[in-house]
């Protein structure tokens, strides 16, 4: 593996903020990664990077940055009605989804157009339009960066939650970056069962004159909604939703509803005990939508979507983080609700 010194990460994070890696290497081969982990055993832990669409760099990275660029995808096993497929960590998520649809397999269509790479998908259990990758995941294969051993995690072992997994949580027993995810397996279906309940999917299909949708038609509808709703990182730096939607106990939600009548609330978890609030709505209510912070307003809340922080040009990671903290403060003061960042803050 060839390390490049003092490497700019500006093009490797979708916020487009300036940051440097003291050492940076592109990992294009599993064996080389294993060799490096064995040789590096007991030394410093790496920083694992995919497409950089869910990180905010507020400083340079001292740890060796490894960008997982492993490529490849294949059908592992055709089980008849269902098919087990595998993609390597560096595959672009959306291209992988399109590949599965091209094979006539459904299950990932609601997750169309999410930026980033396959290897990061299990980290926060990516989700959109009523589906989470956990529902389709058949296993995660990773290299233990402390000794180079290969380990397979069952979906249960990944302990997936809403925008969460053991890989994201980071605990003393399993610190972040311990496991470099190299391959992810999915069980997909030949028989399409549409999931159309979330948000505007039905309305979008109707507007397109689609009566009985195919998986491909759902993917296209989701992509169209996303293009309308979210700012494009290629045009204005961002990392998608900056905060998770807060989950509160049902009695807290009830009290909030009594005080703030119009507050959007959604059932969470299926047993009626928890309720999901809309972080975007909370942020809009405290007046941050479309607003930037001093001195130059370069770090701002998107005027298009209140949950998306944007780099209007030249914003530093520090300014974006200061903005995030100001929002957290105002939402906590007004609603007593804590907003938790979704991206990894470095
Ligand atoms: P990175 O940003 O590079 O990394 C994210 C985290 O994963 C980091 O902690 C990193 O250390 C770790 N990581 C990356 N690769 C590996 C690996 N191979 N092994 C171990 N750890 C690794 N997310 C959603 O869930 N739903 C959405 O609808 C959604 N929409 C978005 C829309 C926009 C416009 C943007 C910019 C982002 C959106 N996101 C969404 C967030 C983001 O796209 C996802 O979290 C995506 O999975 C991140 O992939 P990445 O390769 O860019 O990861
Ligand atoms: N809303 C506002 N103001 C806004 C935008 C939205 O008040 O400016 C309110 C509206 O009531 C709207 C509600 O928020 O109905 C929900 O908005 P949206 O459907 O856009 O969803 P979201 O909760 O903002 C979540 C995910 C997205 C995912 C979409 C679709 C989180 C943190 N975010 O956003 O994921 O694409 O649903 O499923 O769960 C991401 O994780 O980066 C991401 C983009």
């Amino acid at each position: 593996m060839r390390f490049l010194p003092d490497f700019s990460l500006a093009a490797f994070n979708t916020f487009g903020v300036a940051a440097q890696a003291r050492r940076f290497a592109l990992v294009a081969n599993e064996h080389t990664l294993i060799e490096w982990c064995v040789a590096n055993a007991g030394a410093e832990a790496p920083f694992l990077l995919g497409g950089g669409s869910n990180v905010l760099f507020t400083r340079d990275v001292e740890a060796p940055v490894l960008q997982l660029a492993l490529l490849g995808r294949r059908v592992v096993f055709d089980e008849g009605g269902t098919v087990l497929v595998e993609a390597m960590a560096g595959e672009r998520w959306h291209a992988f989804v399109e590949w599965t649809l091209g094979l006539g397999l459904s299950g990932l269509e609601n997750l169309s157009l999410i930026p980033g790479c396959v290897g990061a998908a299990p980290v926060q259990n990516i989700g959109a339009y009523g589906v989470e990758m956990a529902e389709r995941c058949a296993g995660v294969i990773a290299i233990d960066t402390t000794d180079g051993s290969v380990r397979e995690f069952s979906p249960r072992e990944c302990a997936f939650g809403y925008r969460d997994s053991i890989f994201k949580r980071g605990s003393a027993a399993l610190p972040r970056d311990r496991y470099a995810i190299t391959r992810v397996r999915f069980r997909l279906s030949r028989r399409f069962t549409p999931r159309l309940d979330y948000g505007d999917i039905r309305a979008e299909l109707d507007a397109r004159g689609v009566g009985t949708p195919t998986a491909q038609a759902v993917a296209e509808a989701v992509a169209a909604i996303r293009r309308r709703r979210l700012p494009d990182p290629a045009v204005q730096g961002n990392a998608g939703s900056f905060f998770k939607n807060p989950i509160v106990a049902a009695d807290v939600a009830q009290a909030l509803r009594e005080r703030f009548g119009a507050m959007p609330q959604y059932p969470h978890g299926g047993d009626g005990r928890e309720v999901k609030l809309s972080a975007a709505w909370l942020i809009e209510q405290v007046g941050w939508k479309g607003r930037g912070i001093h001195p130059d307003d370069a770090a701002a809340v998107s005027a298009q979507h209140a949950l998306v922080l944007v780099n209007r040009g030249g914003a530093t990671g520090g300014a974006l983080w200061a903005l995030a903290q100001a929002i957290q403060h105002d939402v906590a003061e007004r609603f007593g609700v804590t907003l938790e960042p979704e991206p990894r803050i470095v």
Side-chain angles (χ1 to χ4, degrees):
M1 229 152 57
R2 203 162 68 88
F3 277 97
L4 303 168
D6 298 327
F7 186 84
S8 168
L9 296 171
F12 290 76
N13 73 94
T14 59
F15 266 122
V17 297
Q20 285 215 327
R22 290 277 154 264
R23 291 193 298 151
F24 175 95
L26 203 101
V27 180
N29 180 303
E30 274 172 310
H31 298 292
T32 342
L33 176 58
I34 291 172
E35 277 168 20
W36 181 82
C37 293
V38 170
N40 183 62
E44 55 191 342
F47 179 97
L48 303 170
L49 188 65
S53 64
N54 218 28
V55 284
L56 174 61
F57 294 113
T58 65
R59 57 167 173 77
D60 294 339
V61 186
E62 298 302 326
V65 174
L66 305 183
Q67 192 194 31
L68 283 115
L70 307 161
L71 296 180
R73 53 200 184 195
R74 65 188 178 114
V75 170
V76 180
F77 189 59
D78 193 329
E79 296 160 332
T82 58
V83 178
L84 188 66
V85 299
E86 179 183 274
M88 306 286 288
E91 289 287 332
R92 303 306 297 186
W93 174 262
H94 181 63
F96 167 62
V97 172
E98 286 188 316
W99 176 75
T100 64
L101 292 169
L103 291 177
L105 302 175
S106 62
L108 300 177
E109 56 281 353
N110 293 48
L111 301 175
S112 285
L113 218 65
I114 297 181
C117 302
V118 168
V123 175
Q124 76 156 4
N125 175 24
I126 55 170
Y129 295 91
V131 174
E132 289 181 339
M133 71 77 76
E135 298 169 57
R136 314 295 185 224
C137 182
V140 171
I141 296 160
I143 293 171
D144 186 339
T145 58
T146 65
D147 63 8
S149 61
V150 178
R151 174 161 170 198
E152 180 161 357
F153 293 85
S154 68
R156 179 189 285 270
E157 287 170 319
C158 294
F160 292 122
Y162 164 59
R163 298 292 189 274
D164 198 27
S165 76
I166 49 160
F167 306 109
K168 182 168 180 179
R169 231 161 280 155
S171 62
L174 203 160
R176 274 177 157 175
D177 301 310
R178 164 95 185 253
Y179 287 100
I181 295 168
T182 52
R183 300 160 183 255
V184 189
R185 291 183 167 180
F186 299 87
R187 185 163 279 108
L188 303 176
S189 182
R190 284 223 163 78
R191 217 186 42 150
F192 174 47
T193 313
R195 292 272 289 272
L196 308 177
D197 291 334
Y198 186 97
D200 313 343
I201 304 185
R202 274 179 211 279
E204 179 67 29
L205 289 167
D206 287 347
R208 293 165 162 255
V210 178
T212 311
T214 58
Q216 184 66 44
V218 172
E220 284 164 18
V222 166
I225 300 169
R226 294 182 66 98
R227 283 199 185 93
R228 255 198 325 266
R229 194 163 294 170
L230 294 168
D232 178 355
V235 178
Q236 198 169 48
N238 74 82
S241 302
F242 194 87
F243 298 102
K244 294 194 202 183
N245 285 322
I247 313 286
V248 299
D251 57 332
V252 174
Q254 170 71 27
L256 286 167
R257 209 162 38 236
E258 281 162 16
R259 264 189 78 197
F260 308 98
M263 177 184 278
Q265 299 192 345
Y266 312 92
H268 181 74
D271 60 6
R273 286 196 289 193
E274 288 183 324
V275 172
K276 195 186 262 187
L277 309 179
S278 162
W281 187 86
L282 299 172
I283 294 168
E284 189 163 345
Q285 292 303 304
V286 293
W288 274 109
K289 188 170 179 176
R291 262 179 65 200
I293 55 158
H294 298 305
D296 55 4
D297 287 352
V301 177
S302 167
Q304 214 174 324
H305 199 301
L307 194 43
V308 182
L309 303 198
V310 292
N311 177 358
R312 286 177 174 160
T316 63
L320 285 157
W321 182 230
L323 170 64
Q325 288 173 303
I327 294 168
Q328 282 175 318
H329 171 271
D330 290 357
V331 166
E333 193 174 68
R334 171 90 166 270
F335 298 102
V337 172
T338 305
L339 289 182
E340 190 188 323
E342 183 196 278
R344 176 172 186 174
I345 315 295
V346 181

